[in-house]
């Protein structure tokens, strides 16, 4: 792979759980998972070690379900400060080889070592050296994919876990990549997989040889993108260390303390989420025009729906109204909901002069002032010092602060 682009993708294996094992080595000898507290019902599995995996414990399921599979499971509450600290220590090692280290969540990163390979050797040699340093200095294992683009590097790091190393180059990618299930390709989720399967596309190879014009006509730009990925076409660069794209969306989600069994329950929780999202939009000086909701039932099946508003907004009431409209249209409560999320995208700077409608917008300025006043009170005196009366109808469901408690989950959880 000399004189070619060389990209690594590094993944800290079962990140949260492995960091807990590193801190307390005895945990390696027992089935262990990192999860929230059962009594507060943020009681879901965030990460698990290999022994817990043998009991088919899954990320995202409830602690109750996990204990049913493995009564002796040891559950450790999450220590986010430690995870942030040690993941940055790992990335510091990556940065010894290049200034192009792009984080992908807390536990993963792409590393462009195209220039570094002239000093440190091939991509595979650099990968082995990085793996060795991470283990010797921090006691953690990582899986690494080495390739000529970001997509195949990511795929390579997923192929052998834990502690794997896979090289996917321009000579072997058809043999290594094309037989894999199509959902192994990044950005292909359950809905896209289902649509591809309807076309008879089961493997990445099936996608690669499918007619490009047909995939574009049936799936649009997304179809073009994943068709190129399957053929090894990906020229996206690895970002420089510290570089951050301008935010494209603002969102919050919650696993509720109990199942949400009705629209009334959902509205109470969405109210809290909408106020958080709206406040964060105002902090950023932007408005959003596309509302997206995510719903996950108590069997961990999820759906996502979105709709564009007539005008951009940063008002909680307008965001909530669309969230509830989408929920009423798309969810029947055959199963109760365990978790929900709310996101605003298509972010825009507000116009210097806002054009108001004489008939419909007379209360908009008052609502904006009211929301900003609530922001100021909460910022100075605390989140709980001012609440809408509706939130007091069920303090159990609404007693959380998503703006302050914004947590980074591993990419595998999302």
């Amino acid at each position: 792979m000399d004189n070619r682009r060389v990209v690594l993708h590094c993944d800290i294996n079962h990140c949260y759980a492995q960091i807990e094992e590193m801190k307390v080595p005895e945990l390696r000898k027992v089935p262990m998972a990192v999860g929230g507290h059962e009594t507060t019902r943020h009681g879901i599995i965030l990460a698990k070690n290999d022994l817990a995996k043998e009991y088919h414990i899954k990320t995202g399921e409830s602690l109750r379900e996990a204990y049913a599979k493995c009564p002796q499971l040891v559950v450790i509450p999450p220590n986010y400060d430690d995870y942030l600290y040690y993941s940055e220590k790992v990335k510091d090692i990556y940065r010894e080889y290049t200034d192009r280290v792009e984080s992908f969540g807390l536990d993963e990163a792409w590393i462009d070592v195209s220039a570094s390979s002239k000093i440190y050797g091939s991509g595979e040699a650099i990968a082995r050296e990085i793996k060795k340093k991470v283990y010797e200095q921090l006691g953690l294992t990582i899986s690494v994919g080495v390739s000529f683009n970001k997509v195949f590097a990511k795929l390579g790091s997923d192929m052998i876990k834990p502690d794997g190393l896979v090289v996917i180059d321009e000579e072997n990618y058809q043999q290594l990549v094309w037989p894999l299930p199509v959902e192994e390709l990044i950005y292909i989720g359950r809905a896209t997989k289902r649509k591809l399967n309807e076309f008879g596309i089961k493997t990445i190879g099936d996608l690669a040889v499918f007619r490009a014009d047909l995939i574009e006509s049936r799936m649009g730009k997304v179809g073009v993108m994943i068709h190129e990925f399957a053929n090894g076409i990906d020229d996206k660069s690895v970002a420089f260390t510290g570089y951050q794209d301008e935010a494209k969306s603002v969102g919050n989600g919650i696993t509720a303390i109990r199942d949400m069994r009705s629209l009334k329950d959902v509205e109470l929780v969405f109210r809290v989420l909408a106020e958080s999202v709206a406040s964060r939009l105002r902090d950023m000086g932007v408005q959003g025009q596309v509302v997206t909701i995510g719903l996950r039932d108590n069997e961990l099946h999820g759906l996502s729906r979105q709709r564009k508003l007539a005008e951009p907004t940063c008002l909680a009431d307008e965001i909530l109204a669309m969230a509830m409209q989408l929920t009423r249209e798309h969810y029947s409560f055959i199963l109760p909901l365990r978790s929900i999320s709310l996101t605003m995208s298509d972010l825009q700077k507000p116009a210097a002069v806002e054009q108001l409608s004489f008939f419909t917008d007379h209360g908009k300025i008052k609502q904006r002032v009211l929301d900003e006043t609530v922001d100021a009170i909460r910022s100075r005196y605390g989140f709980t010092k001012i609440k809408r009366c509706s939130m007091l109808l069920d303090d159990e469901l609404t007693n959380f602060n998503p703006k302050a408690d914004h947590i980074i989950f591993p990419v595998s959880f999302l």
Side-chain angles (χ1 to χ4, degrees):
M1 295 173 64
D2 293 340
N3 301 318
R4 302 177 187 177
R5 190 177 180 212
V6 185
V7 178
L8 314 184
H9 183 272
C10 301
D11 182 1
I12 304 172
N13 303 134
H14 50 269
C15 177
Y16 291 5
Q18 192 184 181
I19 289 172
E20 295 296 343
E21 290 177 329
M22 178 267 292
K23 290 158 53 183
V24 184
E26 289 78 9
L27 292 174
R28 297 190 179 107
K29 302 174 184 178
V30 297
M32 180 271 290
V34 176
H37 297 285
E38 182 76 45
T39 54
T40 60
R41 179 53 188 290
H42 301 300
I44 56 174
I45 301 296
L46 299 175
K48 70 277 185 191
N49 69 3
D50 289 331
L51 291 177
K53 191 175 180 180
E54 292 177 5
Y55 288 87
H56 306 290
I57 291 171
K58 299 176 182 179
T59 299
E61 70 182 352
S62 71
L63 296 188
R64 196 173 293 111
E65 291 165 324
Y67 282 129
K69 296 175 181 178
C70 179
Q72 69 271 33
L73 181 70
V74 176
V75 177
I76 306 295
N79 298 287
Y80 295 109
D81 288 344
D82 287 350
Y83 308 150
L84 288 165
Y85 174 81
Y86 285 108
S87 65
E88 278 303 304
K89 287 295 183 184
V90 171
K91 289 171 188 175
D92 283 343
I93 294 174
Y94 304 161
R95 296 179 188 115
E96 294 176 13
Y97 296 85
T98 178
D99 58 354
R100 288 187 175 272
V101 177
E102 179 183 346
S103 294
F104 186 53
L106 191 73
D107 52 342
E108 303 182 35
W110 281 287
I111 312 170
D112 190 323
V113 294
S114 304
S116 312
S117 60
K118 298 173 184 177
I119 301 171
Y120 298 106
S122 68
E124 181 177 358
I126 294 173
R128 292 190 185 282
E129 191 171 321
I130 288 175
K131 284 167 59 67
K132 184 171 182 288
K133 280 190 177 182
V134 170
Y135 185 73
E136 289 179 348
Q137 294 181 23
L138 299 169
L140 300 172
T141 65
I142 62 173
S143 290
V144 184
V146 183
S147 194
F148 55 95
N149 62 48
K150 292 171 72 174
V151 169
F152 283 174
K154 162 69 175 164
L155 193 63
S157 72
D158 289 335
M159 289 176 70
I160 300 177
K161 288 187 175 181
D163 202 20
L165 172 57
V166 174
V167 178
I168 301 174
D169 58 32
E170 290 162 314
E171 286 72 44
N172 70 6
Y173 79 85
Q174 293 185 8
Q175 289 74 39
L176 288 180
V177 172
W178 282 10
L180 297 174
V182 71
E183 63 268 25
E184 296 293 319
L185 202 60
I186 192 170
Y187 302 130
I188 296 183
R190 280 186 291 188
T192 304
K193 174 196 171 185
R194 203 161 43 241
K195 187 175 292 187
L196 292 171
N197 288 169
E198 291 171 359
F199 305 154
I201 297 172
K202 305 288 187 181
T203 67
I204 296 175
D206 292 339
L207 176 58
V209 301
F210 200 84
R211 279 178 50 184
D213 58 332
L214 289 180
I215 200 77
E216 181 176 11
S217 67
R218 297 178 182 184
M219 299 186 67
K221 292 180 180 179
V222 171
V224 173
M225 179 184 72
I226 60 176
H227 184 265
E228 290 180 346
F229 287 173
N231 282 285
I233 302 170
D234 170 33
D235 60 0
K236 294 183 182 66
S237 61
V238 176
F240 284 101
T241 295
Y243 173 81
Q244 289 188 333
D245 283 325
E246 189 174 334
K248 294 181 173 61
S249 65
V250 172
N252 279 115
I254 187 70
T255 298
I257 196 168
R258 61 171 174 80
D259 286 340
M260 293 165 278
R261 300 181 177 277
S262 66
L263 282 169
K264 179 181 176 182
D265 286 348
V266 170
E267 185 170 11
L268 290 172
V269 179
F270 265 147
R271 163 62 69 184
V272 183
L273 296 177
E275 290 193 352
S276 171
V277 170
S279 180
R280 292 172 62 200
L281 288 170
R282 291 190 292 273
D283 288 347
M284 295 166 61
V286 297
Q287 299 177 335
Q289 195 163 3
V290 175
V291 178
T292 302
I293 63 167
L295 308 175
R296 178 176 290 186
D297 64 34
N298 64 354
E299 292 186 359
L300 302 183
H301 301 120
L303 66 84
S304 177
R305 296 292 184 269
Q306 67 178 36
R307 185 164 298 159
K308 191 169 186 175
L309 296 169
E311 296 177 350
T313 188
C314 60
L315 299 181
D317 282 352
E318 295 181 352
I319 297 170
L320 174 64
M322 180 56 73
M324 291 308 301
Q325 182 178 332
L326 288 168
T327 305
R328 282 191 292 270
E329 291 176 3
H330 296 287
Y331 202 74
S332 60
F333 288 93
I334 295 173
L335 291 173
L337 290 169
R338 170 166 297 170
S339 60
I340 61 177
S341 64
L342 178 59
T343 303
M344 290 294 289
S345 57
D346 191 7
L347 305 186
Q348 309 163 35
K349 293 285 185 182
V353 178
E354 186 175 1
Q355 180 65 49
L356 298 177
S357 164
F358 178 78
F359 298 102
T360 60
D361 292 331
H362 52 275
K364 200 166 186 176
I365 294 177
K366 290 183 178 180
Q367 187 61 53
R368 174 70 181 259
V369 171
L370 176 61
D371 284 1
E372 289 176 346
T373 302
V374 171
D375 286 347
I377 293 171
R378 286 176 172 171
S379 176
R380 184 168 183 178
Y381 299 107
F383 180 78
T384 60
K385 296 305 179 183
I386 183 168
K387 289 185 177 183
R388 291 178 182 265
C389 291
S390 61
M391 294 183 185
L392 302 178
L393 296 174
D394 193 328
D395 190 59
E396 185 181 38
L397 275 180
T398 61
N399 189 26
F400 67 101
N401 180 3
K403 185 177 180 182
D405 299 335
H406 195 52
I407 297 302
I408 302 171
F409 288 107
V411 168
S412 59
F413 175 79
L414 302 174

